[in-house]
């Protein structure tokens, strides 16, 4: 197995799908147990899993398309829709819940006017929830793209978002 | 390079680091440190040293456990101890370093503790801090003290000695040693590790696998992450010893993708092991070969369950299958497989080097050794701790954790994540070991400890966990798929003020069905949060159902906020912060809330410094 580490980028379309597929054919042999790493590789490069690429992966691995789609939809890490410029992830783990992350999520949802899993119309923000980032000691936790913000609160969270919208 | 040369080189380098003739600055750059802003502090420290023209050596370390003080910096001058400073920002860092290093004036009031043989008057020693004193660090022996990306630091502190010792023993002897230590799996179920190894070892198939379960799916738990970030080699060495003991040549580390730093540290560690002949053929000059691979999980809690985990490695959906056959007989790709948790493995090298009876000297009759816990929630000193099993729950919360902040009352402690339960405040004398926790209706689980205060609703908590388990249920078996959904629906109704008295009996009934009928541990334990809250906090359920009240002020339809005219001094803070201007009142006169405008956003409750906002 190869460990593929693309520069993690939520920006869609930085790598064109053709080049990505060519790259994958070099890095992977097409074994069934490479399916999840392949999906992770695509998502790291494109930010989501486009349908044509899933079909292409089915061809490369000689797995039924249903198996590829089934796997891609089973794991919460994978997205089948493109994402915004900023991915806002709110931790919904126990420590964060006890420290009020539900209210932070409500506020953000109200501010962005999107439900978790959705992207704002202007394509700027995608809102997601995560089961736990493992930084529970600094709950509540908010992650924007790759940056982790500890001990946040509602006003801090909204300030961050409005800064991003403005800037 | 053979191990002897490597070791003496490592020891030389470590000694040189101890006798450094310039200041040494250690900074915790684990995920929690970074979340608190440690990177800015690091930059500020580097800049400050340049500015004052002071040469110095910087060293990145993992988490030392005092997460609530992050970002943390430790500074050591030649011939002095490390001095720890906490809750830093760039400005404070600069001040401290200029004063300490240039002006030789230690700003004692900002120092947290010293670490090392020397002491400084007026600053407590690390070991004497109330948070640290009751702890014994075996799994965490190196965390926060070594550079996790430098294998030589690990080796200089006795690393890979356990492996060397094991390779000189017969595999059966190694297993006997682990059995004698009494070590039980730290991933949740508490199965004796030695016994598990024996079963895998006896399987006749020559192709076997060992897997390190680093999925850490429990929300509220971060022990495994901290351990992997702070001391990856201890876990990998444990895997090698296990592999040798059961006779296997290939291993996998299954780690959740949400832990990018831990993954990076593991990759670095594996590279170093390859470089120094600790992987591959003829490890340490013995006829033992072993190969390691990392598999990233993709965000499914159920993949922590061992059969689901193996299905996921094989490239499919992570769905559990019935056992038997147990993985020790038929696991990954149908081959005998041994799965151990991160912390279980980190204990192994220590047991080999220090001896089984040393390890068994800690803990209780049936729960030997120590256990790490991630202490989080409504507690003053949150962090990563390791304590001897059998310690009283109250000691963990009050002495180590410093109790509940803001003068609030302790209500319950949640252990074991979604598979566990809530232990009420009056059971603080409970010894923390496998049997006592089970008797109290909870479980040890992987070691998440979330402290809850009076602002926590004990009907909302099981609802929260069932939201989690019903979403994470893989859907394979009916009792779990439907049962968790049903329980959640009932709890949602109760929290919305639409509960019926019969609901409690119905919940108990479904609990039993799901527990007995579910295929895997996820479903079997999903009712636990409901069961324990029903056991200890039944009046709170009744308040929701009969009186239509949420005493903790969490379930929005069941309470309202009001202002206590006696306590309110009219400072006006709440009125300014209320997003919908529902608070009315003149300056310096008691305020009041317009109920039909209030959205119950809790802002006024949170901002009032005089506890004048009441939950009614
Ligand atoms: C739903 C579910 C999730 C689990 N998640 C984890 C996990 O994240 N980490 C872990 O080590 N064990 C987890 N376990 C327990 C493992 O299945 C297994 O018992 C453990 O890894 C064995 O290692 P040990 O004997 O060293 O504890 C989970 C079990 C279940 C049923
Ligand atoms: S108990 Fe739940 S998670 Fe486990 S196999 Fe059944 S449906 Fe899947
Ligand atoms: S913040 Fe508290 S004290 Fe101040 S006006 Fe509001 S209720 Fe009264
Ligand atoms: S709960 Fe929120 S909306 Fe209601 S009065 Fe307080 S601040 Fe205003
Ligand atoms: S509960 Fe939020 S980081 Fe763990």
């Amino acid at each position: 197995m190869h460990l593929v580490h693309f520069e993690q980028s939520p920006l869609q379309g930085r790598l064109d799908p053709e080049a990505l597929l060519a790259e994958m054919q070099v890095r992977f042999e097409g074994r069934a147990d490479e399916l999840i790493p392949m999906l992770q590789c695509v998502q790291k490069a494109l930010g989501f899993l486009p349908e044509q690429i899933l079909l292409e992966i089915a061809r490369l691995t000689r797995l039924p398309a249903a198996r590829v789609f089934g796997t891609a939809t089973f794991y919460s890490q994978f997205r089948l829709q493109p994402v915004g410029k900023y991915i806002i992830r709110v931790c919904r783990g126990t420590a964060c819940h006890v420290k009020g992350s539900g209210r932070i999520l409500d506020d953000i949802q109200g501010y962005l006017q999107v439900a978790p899993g959705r992207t704002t119309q202007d394509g700027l923000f995608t809102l997601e929830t995560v089961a736990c980032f493992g930084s529970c000691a600094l709950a509540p936790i908010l992650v924007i793209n790759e940056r982790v913000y500890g001990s946040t609160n509602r006003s801090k969270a909204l300030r961050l978002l409005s800064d991003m919208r403005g800037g | 390079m053979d191990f002897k040369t490597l070791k003496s080189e490592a020891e030389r380098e470590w000694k040189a680091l101890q006798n450094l003739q310039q200041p040494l600055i250690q900074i915790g750059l684990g995920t929690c440190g970074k979340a608190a802003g440690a990177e800015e502090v690091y930059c500020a420290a580097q800049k400050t040293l340049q500015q004052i023209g002071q040469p110095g050596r910087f060293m990145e370390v993992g988490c030392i456990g005092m997460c609530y003080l992050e970002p943390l910096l430790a500074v050591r001058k030649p011939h002095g101890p490390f001095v720890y400073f906490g809750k830093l920002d760039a400005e404070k860092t600069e001040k401290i370093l200029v004063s300490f290093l240039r002006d030789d004036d230690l700003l004692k009031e900002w120092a947290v503790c010293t670490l090392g043989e020397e002491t400084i008057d007026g600053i407590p020693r690390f070991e004497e801090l109330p948070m640290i004193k009751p702890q014994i660090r075996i799994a965490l022996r190196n965390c926060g003290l070594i550079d996790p990306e430098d294998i030589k630091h690990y080796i200089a502190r006795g690393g890979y000695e356990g492996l060397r010792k094991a390779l000189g023993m017969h595999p059966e002897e190694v297993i006997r040693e682990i059995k004698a230590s009494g070590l039980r799996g730290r991933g949740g179920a508490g199965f004796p590790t030695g016994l598990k190894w024996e079963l895998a070892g006896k399987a006749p198939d020559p192709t076997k696998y060992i897997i390190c379960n680093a999925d850490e799916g429990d929300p509220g738990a971060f022990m495994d992450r901290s351990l992997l970030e702070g001391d990856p080699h201890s876990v990998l060495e444990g895997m090698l010893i296990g592999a040798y003991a059961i006779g296997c040549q290939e291993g996998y580390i299954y780690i959740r993708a949400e832990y990018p730093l831990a993954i990076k540290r593991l990759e670095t560690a594996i590279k170093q092991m390859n470089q120094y002949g600790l992987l591959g053929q003829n490890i340490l000059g013995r006829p033992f070969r072993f190969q390691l691979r990392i598999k990233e999980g993709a965000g499914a809690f159920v993949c922590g369950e061992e059969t689901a985990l193996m299905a996921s490695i094989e490239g499919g959906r992570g769905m559990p299958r019935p056992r038997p056959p147990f993985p020790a007989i038929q696991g990954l790709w149908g081959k005998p497989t041994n799965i151990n948790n991160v912390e279980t493995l980190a204990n192994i090298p220590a047991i080999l080097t220090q001896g089984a009876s040393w390890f068994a000297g800690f803990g209780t009759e049936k729960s030997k050794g120590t256990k790490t816990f991630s202490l989080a929630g409504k507690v003053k000193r949150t962090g990563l701790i390791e304590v001897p099993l059998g310690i009283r729950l109250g000691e963990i919360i009050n002495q180590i954790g410093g109790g509940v902040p803001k003068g609030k009352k302790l209500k319950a402690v949640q252990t074991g994540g979604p598979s566990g339960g809530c232990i009420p405040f009056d059971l603080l004398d409970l010894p923390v070991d496998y049997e006592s926790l089970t008797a109290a209706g909870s479980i040890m689980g992987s070691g998440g400890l979330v402290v809850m205060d009076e602002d926590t609703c004990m009907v909302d908590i099981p609802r929260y966990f069932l939201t989690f388990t019903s979403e994470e249920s893989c859907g394979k078996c009916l009792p779990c798929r439907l049962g968790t959904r049903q329980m959640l629906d009932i709890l949602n109704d109760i929290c919305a003020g639409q509960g019926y008295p019969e609901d409690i009996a119905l919940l108990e009934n479904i609990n039993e069905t799901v527990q007995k009928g579910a295929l895997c541990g996820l479903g079997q334990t999903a009712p636990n949060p409901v069961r324990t809250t029903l056991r200890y906090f039944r009046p709170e359920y009744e308040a929701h159902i009969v009186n239509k009240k949420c005493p903790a002020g969490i379930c929005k339809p069941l309470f309202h906020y009001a202002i206590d005219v006696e306590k309110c001094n009219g400072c006006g803070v709440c009125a300014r912060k209320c997003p919908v201007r529902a608070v009315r009142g003149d300056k310096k006169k008691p305020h009041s809330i317009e109920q039909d405008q209030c959205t119950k956003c809790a802002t006024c409750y949170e901002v009032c410094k005089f506890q004048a906002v009441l939950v009614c």
Side-chain angles (χ1 to χ4, degrees), chain B residues 3-21:
Chain B
F3 188 69
K4 229 170 117 190
T5 327
L6 175 61
K7 189 168 166 101
S8 57
E9 198 176 292
E11 277 164 357
R12 209 169 41 243
E13 281 181 26
W14 184 251
K15 214 164 156 196
L17 200 62
Q18 310 309 310
N19 298 325
L20 211 60
Q21 289 312 307

Side-chain angles (χ1 to χ4, degrees), chain A residues 1 3 5 33 35-36 40 67 74-77 92-94 97-99 103 131-132 134-138 148 150 154, chain B residues 31-32 35 67 219-220 222 225 256-257 267 294-299 312 314-316 318 377-378 382 460 464 601-602:
Chain A
M1 194 196 69
L3 281 167
H5 273 290
D33 65 303
L35 176 56
I36 294 172
Q40 283 167 330
R67 162 91 187 267
F74 181 82
Y75 295 97
S76 62
Q77 185 191 17
R92 291 298 290 125
T94 322
H97 178 73
V98 169
K99 289 214 168 166
R103 285 184 182 138
C132 175
S135 299
C136 326
L138 294 165
V148 186
R154 300 156 75 186
Chain B
T31 301
C32 35
C67 303
F222 55 90
R225 171 188 65 70
R256 62 191 320 214
E267 283 169 359
I294 301 173
K295 274 274 182 180
E296 281 182 45
S312 178
E314 289 170 10
K378 300 289 185 73
T382 58
D460 172 67
Y464 160 77
C601 73

Side-chain angles (χ1 to χ4, degrees), chain B residues 520-533:
Chain B
C520 86
L522 190 150
Q524 287 156 6
T525 59
N528 283 351
V530 186
R531 281 160 40 129
T532 49
T533 44

Side-chain angles (χ1 to χ4, degrees), chain B residues 562-569 589-592 612 614:
Chain B
I563 292 178
D564 182 344
V565 290
E566 302 282 304
K567 283 188 182 159
C568 175
N569 61 13
K589 297 233 174 75
H591 283 43
S592 64
L614 306 173

Side-chain angles (χ1 to χ4, degrees), chain B residues 135-152:
Chain B
Q135 298 194 42
I136 291 168
R137 294 177 179 236
I138 297 176
L140 303 180
R141 57 194 177 278
N142 293 320
C143 280
L145 303 177
I146 64 168
D147 177 350
E149 299 200 2
D150 192 340
I151 190 173
K152 287 186 184 155

Side-chain angles (χ1 to χ4, degrees), chain A residues 1-5 8 31-40 44 63 66-78 89 91-101 103 106-107 129-139 141-143 146-155 159, chain B residues 31-37 40 67-68 70 218-222 225 252 254 256-259 263 267 293-300 302-303 312-319 333 375-379 382-383 414 450-452 456 460-461 464-465 468 474 553-554 556 561 600-603 606:
Chain A
M1 194 196 69
H2 306 267
L3 281 167
V4 192
H5 273 290
Q8 182 116 16
R31 291 194 316 269
D33 65 303
E34 289 176 327
L35 176 56
I36 294 172
M38 283 171 114
L39 298 175
Q40 283 167 330
K44 271 183 188 160
L63 289 168
R67 162 91 187 267
V68 176
F69 280 88
T71 305
T73 49
F74 181 82
Y75 295 97
S76 62
Q77 185 191 17
F78 297 126
R89 294 189 289 172
C91 176
R92 291 298 290 125
T94 322
C96 290
H97 178 73
V98 169
K99 289 214 168 166
S101 82
R103 285 184 182 138
D106 285 348
D107 284 2
T129 58
V130 170
C132 175
F133 282 104
S135 299
C136 326
L138 294 165
I141 299 284
L142 190 69
V143 177
E146 296 310 304
R147 170 126 204 214
V148 186
Y149 297 86
S151 314
T152 50
N153 56 40
R154 300 156 75 186
S155 51
R159 215 174 315 130
Chain B
T31 301
C32 35
K34 284 187 179 170
E40 283 99 67
C67 303
Y68 75 108
E70 294 279 9
D218 276 13
F222 55 90
R225 171 188 65 70
Y252 285 92
Y254 188 87
R256 62 191 320 214
E258 286 88 343
Y259 286 176
I263 295 172
E267 283 169 359
R293 296 198 169 104
I294 301 173
K295 274 274 182 180
E296 281 182 45
V302 71
C303 286
S312 178
I313 292 184
E314 289 170 10
R317 296 192 211 184
M319 290 207 176
W333 289 300
L375 193 53
K378 300 289 185 73
V379 60
T382 58
Q414 213 280 340
V450 182
V451 180
M452 298 171 177
T456 316
D460 172 67
I461 290 297
Y464 160 77
F465 278 117
F468 180 80
C474 81
I554 294 291
K556 274 192 185 178
Y561 289 112
K600 298 179 191 168
C601 73
T603 304
E606 283 165 10

Side-chain angles (χ1 to χ4, degrees), chain B residues 412-466:
Chain B
V413 185
Q414 213 280 340
T415 72
S419 316
C422 295
I423 302 168
F425 67 95
D426 52 0
L427 289 186
L428 284 182
D429 264 346
L430 192 78
V432 179
D433 59 55
Y434 289 94
E435 281 71 29
S436 311
L437 285 175
T438 309
S442 189
I443 59 162
M444 176 80 74
S446 58
L449 261 182
V450 182
V451 180
M452 298 171 177
D453 69 0
E454 55 193 295
D455 289 340
T456 316
C457 167
M458 291 321 221
V459 187
D460 172 67
I461 290 297
R463 172 170 75 142
Y464 160 77
F465 278 117
L466 277 161

